[in-house]
Amino acid sequence: MWRLGNSDLKQRVGPGASIAVVFALACLAAAAQDTENKACLACHQKHEASTPFMDGSVLSVSAHGKLDCIECHVGIKQPCQKKMKVTQCKTCHADQTTALSGASHLEKLKKSLDKDGTAKAATVCLSCHGGDVHAVKASTDTKSTSNRANVAATCLQCHQENQHIAVNKYTNSVHGKASSSGNKKAAVCIDCHGSHGIDHSKLATSKVFHTTITETCGKCHPQQKTDYESSTHWAAASKGYREPPVCTDCHGEHGIQSSQDPTSPTFASNITKTCSSCHGSERLTAKFMLKSDRVQSFKSSFHGMSNELGDLRVANCASCHGNHGVLPSSDSRSTVNPANLGKTCGSCHPSASTRFISERIHSTLERPSHWLVSAVRLFYIGLIVVVISSMLGHNLLDLIYKATKGMPYHRQPGLDLRFTVNERIQHAFLALSFIMLAVSGFALKFPDSPLAWPFQIFNATADVRRWSHRGAAIVFGVLSVYHLIYMIATKRGREQFQRLRPTWQDAKDVKDVLLRYIRRHDRVLHLPPFAYTEKAEYWALVWGSIVMAVTGMVLTFVNLSLSNLSLWVVDLAVTIHYWEAVLAGLAILIWHFYWVFFDPEYYPLNLTWLFGNPRPTPAHAKETVHPHEKPIILPKPQPELVEKK
C-alpha cells in the first residue's frame, strides 16, 4: 500500500482532490480489513470444538472492532497455525503498561489471578477491562467496565470482601451516591487511586499517601486544599509526620459522608470526638507539645455538655478554630487569636464581641477562668462534705435510737392539720418541678448516665432536655411567687410562717435531741409543731431557690449576661448553679427522704403530703400522746400566789 504526504498530495493533485484521495484510501483500507476479518470469522464464528469461537457482532462494536485481526494476531496465514503469536497490550498501550508495571497494584492482581504469580499481562488487563479481549469497550462507552459509572462495580469484584480496604462502603458514601445518581463529576475509584499506576497508600508514590492526598482531594475541592495547606496541621504533615491529620483522617476514606449526615465524623455533634482522637491523646500532646487539657475543658463546658447530647446549635471545635485552615492562636490570621476572638465568639453572641479578648476560654480545675471561681468551687465542696455528713450522722443516730428504744423523741402538738389542701397542692408542684429540674439538669452534666435516658428516646434529645429544664424552672418560679404571696396575704400562711421562723430554742432542741441520742437523759422532749428538722429543710429550700433562680437567669439569658458581665462571671454562675444543685439533690436524698420513707415512727411512708397528717385520721380525732411516752403534767398555779404576786 502506497502513501502520500499532505504536502505532496496538495502539489500534485491540488487541495480539492486531496480529500477525495484520502477518502478513497480509507475505503480501500476498510475494505481490506473487512476482507481479512471475514476470512477469519468464516472459521471462528462457527461453534466447533477444534476452533476457538469468536462472535463477530461483539467484535464489531468493541474498542478493537476497527482493527484488523492480523494487527493483534501477527503473522497469521491461512490456514491458521496451531500456535498463534498474540501481540501484547503494551504494543498499543505502552504508557498504561508502563504505569501498571511499576505499581504495587500489579503484584496484587497477579496473586489474585494466578497463585503461582505467572499471570499473563493480557489476563491482568482484562481483569479490569472485561473478560474477553474481543469485547473490550472504550471507557467512554456506558457499558464499559472502565466507564466512570461502572468503575466502582469493577473494583468491587476484588475488593468487596477485603475488609481492610472496605471499598464496599463507597457505594453508600456521598461520592458513591452522587455517582450512581448520574453526576459525572462525582469522585470514583480512579479519581483518588489512579487507573493503572495504583500504589499502596503507604508508598510515597501513591495518590492517597498522607502527603499527596491533599493534591488528590484538591482536584475537586480546591478551596479546601488551599485553606488546609495554610494550616498548622499541614505544616507538620508536610514535614513527614504521620500523626497530623490529613483529609482522610477527619472525613474518612471510602465511606465519606456529607457533613450534614449524623454518621459523618464532621457532623456538628461528632466533631469533638474526631478532634479528640488526636488532641485527647497523651502521646500526641506530649510529642507535639500541645496543651493536654483542651478536650477535657471543652467537654466540661456548657458547649461540650450540650454537644454530647447532640445539640447542633452550640459551638464545637470547628466553630471556634475553623475546619480546614486551623491555625495556632499566636497566628494573627487565627480565628482564636486574641485580636479575632471577639469576632469569632460574636458570631453566636453578637452582644459580647468585645468581652472575650482577655478572657480564658478553656478553663479547667487547674486553670480556672478566675480565682473566685476556684474559691467558690472549693467552698461548695467543703460545705457539701460538712452538711451532708452531718445530716447522715444525725439520721443514723435517730434511726438507731428509735429502732432500739421503740419510741419517738418528740410529739408535735398544736396542729390539727399540718398541710391543708392548698399546701399539699403546692408541695405536689414543688416535688414534680424539683425532680424534673434535677433529672434534666444532671442529664446535661452526665449525658451517658441513666438520667439522660428519658430524653434520648427523642430525636431532638438536646432540645427536649433544654425545654424540659426551662419548663420545670418556670413552674418552680411561678410556684415560688405564689407561695410568697400565700405566706404574706393569708392568715394560714402567716401562721405557718411564724411556726417556721427560726428561734434560739431550735438550737437548744438540737442539743437536747443529740443528748437523748447518746443516752444522756430520757426526759420527754416537747418540740414545736415544726421542729428544727423541718425548719432547716424549709429555709435551705428558700435559700437554694434564690441562688438557683439568680444563676439560672444568668445562664438562660446568656447573651444579655455576656454583653454586661465578664466571661468569668458567667463561669462563676455555672459553678454555683451546678454545686448548689448537687447540695440540694443530696440533701433531699439524705434528709428529706429519711423523714418521709425511713423514719421508724412513720415507716414505710409519712403520708402528710397526701392526707395532711403523718397518718390518715378522722377529722374529729384529737391529738393523743404516744403510748411509749409519759406526758409532763405541769402543776396548776395557786390563786393566792398569783394574788400576792
Side-chain angles (χ1 to χ4, degrees):
M1 185 180 294
W2 56 273
R3 297 180 180 179
L4 290 174
N6 287 340
S7 59
D8 295 337
L9 195 63
K10 291 179 181 179
Q11 291 176 0
R12 297 185 182 184
V13 297
S18 61
I19 297 176
V21 173
V22 171
F23 179 76
L25 293 176
C27 291
L28 291 173
Q33 176 191 357
D34 188 55
T35 302
E36 293 289 346
N37 290 349
K38 283 184 177 180
C40 295
L41 290 173
C43 295
H44 290 280
Q45 201 162 236
K46 298 177 181 180
H47 291 276
E48 296 180 357
S50 60
T51 305
F53 176 76
M54 203 283 296
D55 191 341
S57 61
V58 173
L59 175 64
S60 63
V61 295
S62 72
H64 296 150
K66 297 181 180 180
L67 300 177
D68 192 355
C69 297
I70 60 174
E71 292 190 50
C72 294
H73 301 280
V74 180
I76 293 179
K77 295 181 180 180
Q78 296 182 358
C80 297
Q81 300 173 0
K82 292 183 179 180
K83 293 184 179 181
M84 297 181 296
K85 181 180 179 182
V86 180
T87 299
Q88 298 295 315
C89 299
K90 66 181 179 180
T91 303
C92 298
H93 305 285
D95 294 341
Q96 292 82 352
T97 305
T98 300
L100 178 64
S101 61
S104 59
H105 196 230
L106 177 62
E107 298 302 321
K108 296 288 184 180
L109 282 171
K110 286 183 177 180
K111 290 180 180 180
S112 65
L113 295 172
D114 190 333
K115 293 182 180 181
D116 297 329
T118 58
K120 295 180 181 179
T123 307
V124 171
C125 298
L126 292 176
S127 64
C128 295
H129 289 280
D132 186 357
V133 69
H134 299 101
V136 172
K137 297 183 181 299
S139 61
T140 55
D141 192 320
T142 56
K143 296 181 180 180
S144 171
T145 55
S146 60
N147 184 266
R148 292 183 61 84
N150 305 322
V151 164
T154 301
C155 296
L156 283 172
Q157 292 176 354
C158 296
H159 293 291
Q160 64 181 347
E161 297 180 358
N162 191 327
Q163 294 302 315
H164 175 67
I165 299 179
V167 181
N168 56 331
K169 292 183 179 179
Y170 169 80
T171 54
N172 294 320
S173 71
V174 64
H175 293 148
K177 292 177 181 178
S179 178
S180 61
S181 65
N183 187 342
K184 295 182 179 180
K185 293 183 178 180
V188 295
C189 307
I190 57 175
D191 291 318
C192 299
H193 296 277
S195 51
H196 298 90
I198 302 175
D199 281 319
H200 194 280
S201 60
K202 293 182 179 180
L203 298 176
T205 54
S206 172
K207 291 187 176 182
V208 291
F209 187 62
H210 75 280
T211 56
T212 59
I213 190 69
T214 54
E215 288 292 336
T216 301
C217 297
K219 291 185 297 183
C220 297
H221 306 284
Q223 185 58 54
Q224 289 79 359
K225 171 181 176 291
T226 301
D227 293 341
Y228 174 76
E229 290 185 344
S230 66
S231 72
T232 186
H233 292 150
W234 175 246
S238 61
K239 294 178 181 178
Y241 292 107
R242 183 59 191 91
E243 294 87 355
V246 294
C247 309
T248 52
D249 290 311
C250 297
H251 294 276
E253 298 173 342
H254 300 96
I256 297 174
Q257 299 295 337
S258 167
S259 60
Q260 303 303 314
D261 191 315
T263 62
S264 171
T266 57
F267 186 64
S269 61
N270 299 331
I271 286 179
T272 303
K273 296 178 182 178
T274 302
C275 297
S276 297
S277 61
C278 292
H279 290 274
S281 169
E282 293 184 5
R283 182 182 68 85
L284 295 184
T285 53
K287 179 175 181 178
F288 294 98
M289 293 182 291
L290 303 174
K291 294 179 179 179
S292 59
D293 61 350
R294 291 303 183 247
V295 174
Q296 188 56 43
S297 62
F298 173 77
K299 288 184 176 180
S300 63
S301 69
F302 174 78
H303 291 154
M305 291 186 293
S306 296
N307 185 269
E308 285 290 315
L309 285 175
D311 193 341
L312 305 183
R313 304 184 314 154
V314 298
N316 52 54
C317 305
S319 303
C320 300
H321 295 274
N323 38 40
H324 298 98
V326 178
L327 293 169
S329 59
S330 57
D331 193 310
S332 60
R333 300 170 296 167
S334 172
T335 53
V336 293
N337 181 271
N340 303 325
L341 197 56
K343 180 180 179 182
T344 300
C345 298
S347 61
C348 294
H349 306 289
S351 300
S353 59
T354 61
R355 290 189 169 270
F356 293 94
I357 296 177
S358 59
E359 300 286 354
R360 181 174 293 168
I361 304 300
H362 283 275
S363 59
T364 61
L365 290 174
E366 294 76 17
R367 298 176 67 254
S369 57
H370 195 274
W371 67 267
L372 189 57
V373 176
S374 181
V376 168
R377 183 186 293 113
L378 292 175
F379 167 77
Y380 262 103
I381 292 175
L383 180 65
I384 289 172
V385 171
V386 172
V387 171
I388 300 303
S389 60
S390 299
M391 289 180 174
L392 190 61
H394 178 281
N395 293 348
L396 185 61
L397 289 174
D398 183 84
L399 180 64
I400 294 173
Y401 175 79
K402 291 179 179 177
T404 56
K405 283 287 188 177
M407 58 185 292
Y409 62 76
H410 72 278
R411 297 182 292 126
Q412 297 178 339
L415 280 179
D416 293 332
L417 194 64
R418 291 179 63 81
F419 280 178
T420 63
V421 174
N422 184 303
E423 291 163 354
R424 278 175 264 168
I425 294 175
Q426 291 184 54
H427 179 270
F429 277 102
L430 172 66
L432 292 175
S433 60
F434 183 92
I435 292 172
M436 178 56 70
L437 283 169
V439 172
S440 58
F442 287 116
L444 174 64
K445 183 67 175 179
F446 307 103
D448 296 326
S449 69
L451 293 172
W453 292 350
F455 308 104
Q456 291 175 348
I457 62 176
F458 302 96
N459 292 329
T461 301
D463 291 334
V464 173
R465 187 218 63 84
R466 181 190 308 111
W467 288 110
S468 297
H469 193 74
R470 292 181 178 180
I474 292 173
V475 172
F476 192 91
V478 171
L479 175 64
S480 299
V481 173
Y482 175 82
H483 180 74
L484 178 62
I485 296 173
Y486 175 80
M487 297 294 279
I488 295 175
T490 66
K491 179 181 178 181
R492 169 72 179 187
R494 290 191 294 271
E495 292 174 350
Q496 293 288 65
F497 177 79
Q498 290 299 322
R499 295 186 181 104
L500 288 167
R501 187 169 54 85
T503 64
W504 285 111
Q505 183 61 39
D506 296 321
K508 296 179 181 179
D509 291 340
V510 173
K511 182 196 69 173
D512 291 340
V513 168
L514 292 177
L515 288 174
R516 190 166 187 179
Y517 282 155
I518 60 178
R519 309 296 196 275
R520 288 303 182 97
H521 64 71
D522 293 327
R523 64 185 179 183
V524 177
L525 300 178
H526 289 275
L527 301 184
F530 289 118
Y532 69 89
T533 51
E534 293 85 8
K535 291 181 180 181
E537 186 172 8
Y538 178 82
W539 290 108
L541 173 63
V542 172
W543 168 253
S545 300
I546 295 173
V547 172
M548 296 299 283
V550 173
T551 55
M553 293 292 282
V554 171
L555 302 179
T556 300
F557 302 100
V558 65
N559 285 337
L560 180 62
S561 301
L562 291 173
S563 63
N564 295 281
L565 304 172
S566 296
L567 182 60
W568 70 266
V569 177
V570 178
D571 193 15
L572 179 63
V574 173
T575 301
I576 295 175
H577 200 78
Y578 169 69
W579 287 107
E580 183 67 29
V582 172
L583 177 59
L586 290 176
I588 291 295
L589 293 174
I590 301 299
W591 190 258
H592 189 71
F593 277 19
Y594 173 78
W595 299 109
V596 174
F597 298 106
F598 303 107
D599 182 3
E601 188 175 358
Y602 303 113
Y603 183 81
L605 182 63
N606 187 324
L607 296 172
T608 302
W609 62 274
L610 185 60
F611 296 105
N613 279 318
R615 298 185 181 89
T617 55
H620 63 276
K622 294 184 178 180
E623 188 176 357
T624 59
V625 179
H626 195 280
H628 293 288
E629 288 191 330
K630 294 180 179 180
I632 296 177
I633 302 176
L634 300 176
K636 295 182 179 180
Q638 298 295 324
E640 58 275 11
L641 295 178
V642 174
E643 291 177 0
K644 289 181 179 180
K645 185 176 180 181

